Amino acid sequence: MTCLITQKNRAGIINPMYNCQPSGAQYACIGIKDCIPLVHGGQGCSMFCRLLFAQHFKENFDIASSSIHESAAVFGGLVRAEDGVDTMLKRYPDLRIIPIITTCSTEIIGDDIDGLVGKMRRSIKKEFPGREVYLVPVHTPSFKGSHVSGYDVAISALITTLAKKGKPSGKLNVITGWVNPGDVTEIKHVLKEMDVEAKVIMDTESFDSPTMPDKDSFSYGSTTVEDLIDTANAVGTLALNRYEGAGAAKYLQDEFEVPAIIGPTPIGIANTDAFIKNISALTGKSVPDSLAIERGKAIDALADLAHMFFADKRVAIFGNPDLVIGLAEFCLEVELKPVLLMLGDDNKAYQKDPRIKQLEEKIDFDMEVIWNSDLWELEKRLQNKELEVDLIMGHSKGRYVAIDHKVPMVRVGFPTFDRAGLYRHPVVGYNGALYLGETIANTLFADMEYKKDREWILNTW
């Protein structure tokens, strides 16, 4: 059977599934404690990203904007960024790091952000003596790439700017990639069970923030400046995603001789097995019985569902590349058939991703992978009867395709705003595999009942 890898055969985007590079950089930066990213561009470049984060997490986040206007096209907008940094430092006495994130407009007019950072560092020493503030230039023109590459660029910029060689920490770097708070909780759980000390980058677990007396309602990340500086002194780096943080892991290996392992994204049983083995390889820690028991429970639950309900069900998946490929690998584990994978930006590296080649070796059906895709690719195939699927997996922007064509849909990825609390649940680890399996099953069960399609089976299974 074949695995066809193509890009969409038309210009333009209809119903985009991805967001721009600056949004990815902003997501990476709000994972840092005592940090407010400054988006150097129009006000909408931060406002709409904040809206997406608020829709997904139901929380507020501090993100600043240089708010440039038409005059910047002629005179440049650096003065706005300079004023923005100065205002933030005066207003927020605890602010320790300001990533300056460029946008399409400021990259096109040629604003020298790197030069500005050097100038502002000298100015800060004079105007704020005794105060140490880190400025990090992050170049994310939104006329190329996507939020995926923007996240990767931001992580690399932060690590290359801050990492500094010192005494060995004995800790493990874990670069999570674009994940939910529930995923971070699950990663920390695995590390704790293995008695491994680690720096989680970026630690977004606290985005699921409680409402407390006398506290504001803004959410903040938990990765500290010291964590980023000390990444150069770790026993190793695990980057869970190939396209979201691997560049930083390779930099630490090349520059500071910190061993790096890239992937696999720990979605499903086999990938989680590999994740745990990689932790053990870098730290020398053994795998405890508690994780073996979790693994056994997940396998038992999935076995109850796979052959009876999942076998030969055809699935279309869209979203971030590491997530999509990880979900496809999970589908094969539970007898689902991922017949269509859609990746939404122009990264040609997808064509040579070894994981897709491995998928091709495992499948006994035809599978299509479309890069530089949009959601119209899915809708067109369903409308024209070119494709039949039993399930769609992806974020909430695909909901109308699922509704219009009466295909059940499992929400996973970013953003998910039409279901409550999904960011609390992991899709990584053994508990994530259990959650995914049961969520898929319950979605299919509800569809069976709604369509009166052999719903009587649910009385007996």
Side-chain angles (χ1 to χ4, degrees):
M1 296 296 177
T2 63
C3 176
L4 183 63
I5 305 175
T6 62
Q7 66 170 319
K8 69 177 190 304
N9 59 359
R10 56 188 161 79
I13 299 290
I14 303 174
N15 197 2
M17 70 172 74
Y18 274 17
N19 304 299
C20 63
Q21 277 207 111
S23 66
Q26 289 171 63
Y27 185 73
C29 294
I30 59 177
I32 307 172
K33 187 178 180 181
D34 301 322
C35 169
I36 300 177
L38 174 65
V39 181
H40 185 37
Q43 192 166 347
C45 297
S46 63
M47 180 182 71
F48 289 114
C49 294
R50 286 186 67 201
L51 176 61
L52 272 177
F53 301 150
Q55 283 181 311
H56 182 83
F57 296 109
K58 305 299 185 282
E59 301 288 353
N60 293 309
F61 297 89
D62 280 329
I63 300 174
S65 171
S66 61
S67 193
I68 64 168
H69 297 283
E70 290 87 346
S71 59
V74 178
F75 302 109
L78 285 177
V79 66
R80 298 290 298 175
E82 190 172 349
D83 289 345
V85 170
D86 187 63
T87 300
M88 291 164 70
L89 291 176
K90 289 176 180 177
R91 181 170 180 178
Y92 299 98
D94 297 326
L95 187 60
R96 300 186 60 202
I97 179 169
I98 304 174
I100 303 177
I101 300 169
T102 65
T103 59
C104 52
S105 55
T106 53
E107 287 283 349
I108 287 173
I109 64 179
D111 275 354
D112 182 10
I113 293 300
D114 297 88
L116 176 69
V117 166
K119 176 184 177 183
M120 289 301 298
R121 285 171 179 164
R122 294 188 292 271
S123 175
I124 289 169
K125 287 182 180 180
K126 293 180 181 179
E127 294 188 37
F128 303 91
R131 185 173 177 183
E132 189 171 31
V133 179
Y134 298 89
L135 303 180
V136 181
V138 182
H139 292 277
T140 50
S142 49
F143 47 74
K144 71 172 187 176
S146 68
H147 66 273
V148 175
S149 56
Y151 184 99
D152 188 67
V153 167
I155 298 293
S156 292
L158 290 160
I159 294 295
T160 55
T161 302
L162 297 177
K164 185 178 180 181
K165 197 65 175 177
K167 294 180 180 180
S169 67
K171 296 182 179 180
L172 179 69
N173 297 325
V174 179
I175 302 178
T176 64
W178 193 305
V179 298
N180 276 322
D183 295 307
V184 176
T185 301
E186 181 64 18
I187 291 165
K188 287 183 177 180
H189 163 69
V190 171
L191 294 166
K192 183 178 180 181
E193 291 298 307
M194 295 185 69
D195 193 28
V196 171
E197 287 191 83
K199 299 180 185 298
V200 176
I201 301 166
M202 294 300 182
D203 188 348
T204 58
E205 183 180 27
S206 55
F207 284 7
D208 186 12
S209 57
T211 298
M212 303 294 287
D214 304 320
K215 298 287 184 180
D216 63 37
S217 58
F218 280 75
S219 293
Y220 305 94
S222 301
T223 298
T224 66
V225 170
E226 287 74 22
D227 290 337
L228 295 170
I229 293 172
D230 208 29
T231 52
N233 306 305
V235 297
T237 303
L238 271 179
L240 303 189
N241 292 304
R242 177 180 293 265
Y243 302 107
E244 302 162 15
K250 291 174 182 175
Y251 170 80
L252 291 171
Q253 180 170 265
D254 295 340
E255 187 72 17
F256 301 107
E257 298 181 345
V258 178
I261 298 178
I262 312 300
T265 307
I267 297 175
I269 303 300
N271 284 343
T272 301
D273 291 347
F275 169 59
I276 291 172
K277 288 177 182 177
N278 289 339
I279 295 174
S280 183
L282 289 173
T283 64
K285 297 287 187 178
S286 59
V287 181
D289 290 342
S290 58
L291 291 179
I293 291 171
E294 286 183 16
R295 182 181 190 274
K297 288 182 177 179
I299 291 174
D300 181 66
L302 295 172
D304 291 341
L305 298 167
H307 189 63
M308 187 167 185
F309 295 105
F310 294 168
D312 296 333
K313 291 286 194 301
R314 297 165 60 85
V315 187
I317 311 172
F318 66 90
N320 291 10
D322 290 293
L323 175 65
V324 168
I325 295 170
L327 290 172
E329 292 168 330
F330 171 76
C331 284
L332 292 181
E333 287 184 333
V334 295
E335 300 186 48
L336 292 165
K337 291 184 174 181
V339 295
L340 178 64
L341 310 183
M342 294 185 295
L343 316 174
D345 61 14
D346 55 0
N347 188 344
K348 294 182 179 179
Y350 300 150
Q351 299 175 89
K352 298 181 180 180
D353 193 308
R355 295 171 297 179
I356 295 178
K357 182 65 177 176
Q358 291 167 5
L359 286 173
E360 184 177 15
E361 293 170 357
K362 295 177 182 177
I363 60 175
D364 60 356
F365 53 89
D366 292 331
M367 180 171 70
E368 186 177 10
V369 181
I370 309 173
W371 57 280
N372 200 20
S373 183
D374 56 25
L375 286 168
W376 173 242
E377 290 294 319
L378 174 59
E379 179 138 22
K380 178 179 66 174
R381 284 162 173 74
L382 294 176
Q383 275 187 353
N384 298 340
K385 308 299 182 183
E386 300 170 14
L387 177 74
E388 291 186 6
V389 294
D390 303 291
L391 183 71
I392 295 171
M393 298 183 74
H395 55 70
S396 294
K397 290 185 178 182
R399 64 193 296 255
Y400 290 113
V401 177
I403 291 169
D404 290 347
H405 296 277
K406 296 181 173 57
V407 180
M409 178 175 170
V410 169
R411 273 71 170 171
V412 60
F414 176 91
T416 52
F417 44 75
D418 62 332
R419 295 292 185 273
L422 296 189
Y423 56 86
R424 293 192 179 94
H425 301 286
V427 298
V428 303
Y430 298 129
N431 289 320
L434 182 62
Y435 167 78
L436 278 174
E438 292 180 344
T439 301
I440 291 169
N442 289 331
T443 301
L444 293 174
F445 293 167
D447 186 64
M448 290 166 64
E449 293 172 334
Y450 177 74
K451 295 177 180 175
K452 299 190 182 304
D453 176 18
R454 297 171 297 118
E455 77 281 4
W456 52 267
I457 294 176
L458 304 178
N459 293 329
T460 59
W461 81 285

